[in-house]
Amino acid sequence: MGKINYNVNFINPFLQAVIHVLQTMAHVQANPEQPYLNEERKAIGDVTGIIGITGYSKGTMSITLEKDVILKIVNNMLFEEYSEINEEICDAVGELTNMISGQARAKLSQQGQSFDASTPTIFSGRGIEIKHVASAPVLSIPFTTDEGRFVVEVAFESS
Amino acid sequence: MGKINYNVNFINPFLQAVIHVLQTMAHVQANPEQPYLNEERKAIGDVTGIIGITGYSKGTMSITLEKDVILKIVNNMLFEEYSEINEEICDAVGELTNMISGQARAKLSQQGQSFDASTPTIFSGRGIEIKHVASAPVLSIPFTTDEGRFVVEVAFESS
């Protein structure tokens, strides 16, 4: 398996996929902040979509959102006015997770790093703690939107 | 990709891996109850380990445990007396998830269904709801132990 190097060539496909998917699917402008290595390996939020990744290296990609942010995104996507995290919100988080992972993987494949992905899983609840177990540090990419914050996390095996 | 058929040949590798891993690692006797197709696609618990699966078909495997059950398992594994879900508990859940998935995949590979797995991720928090997004029904295998219940869920794409 390949060794993941968290350089800009690796980060950008995820960052661009997030911006592009939210813009085209939900007309939500996501502004990336400085990515960082999350030594605590924890994200906290109200809803998380996660997808397992295999191939060049094995790991995971997750997106963890505050309630107000995901409500805005899904309400825009589905022309709804949901005010609580429900079944449809969870389904939409799964779809977004799939699309972001798919677009990022397509770009990484062009760069010679070919990955496959599992199906996504959605976790919801107040203040869930998420812990990635990959041996490499967790790469966290925080985003701001008009409605609040969310974070995309990418974790891979280091060897 | 292959089509997953939730017959006994598919269920048994997961069921046996769970029993074997908990017995050898933690001296905990896990008693399987009748597996069922979880149409609600939801599990609720205090801590969950999840691992993405690719290859013959894509999907996920998760183990969701009540607090008292995972405390007993990890305290037995590590000769500790933890009374709360902490960092070490989460690490141990990741290790168990990896081992159960690995043993089940080894058995499935012998049966001609070869799978790869991502790294595991751990979710903790009170009453987290988990939703698998695979298109096939979620296969739930409930287990009882002296300390309480846990459930192993397997979800795959149907095509």
Side-chain angles (χ1 to χ4, degrees), chain A residues 42 48 50 52-54 58-60 87 90-91 116-124 128-131 133 157, chain B residues 42 48 50 52-54 58-60 87 90-91 116-124 128-131 133 157:
Chain A
K42 272 186 192 166
T48 292
I50 186 161
I53 292 174
T54 61
K58 58 170 65 182
T60 51
E87 202 70 9
C90 287
D91 284 339
D116 200 358
S118 74
T119 50
T121 305
I122 316 311
F123 290 75
S124 64
I128 297 174
E129 283 200 9
I130 302 152
K131 188 171 195 303
V133 179
E157 288 291 291
Chain B
K42 271 184 192 168
T48 291
I50 185 161
I53 292 175
T54 61
K58 58 170 65 183
T60 51
E87 203 69 10
C90 288
D91 284 339
D116 201 358
S118 74
T119 51
T121 306
I122 315 312
F123 289 75
S124 63
I128 297 174
E129 283 200 9
I130 302 152
K131 186 169 193 310
V133 180
E157 289 291 292

Side-chain angles (χ1 to χ4, degrees), chain A residues 14-27:
Chain A
F14 289 97
L15 199 150
Q16 287 164 1
V18 171
I19 294 171
H20 186 249
V21 166
L22 291 189
Q23 207 155 48
T24 53
M25 296 299 292
H27 305 290

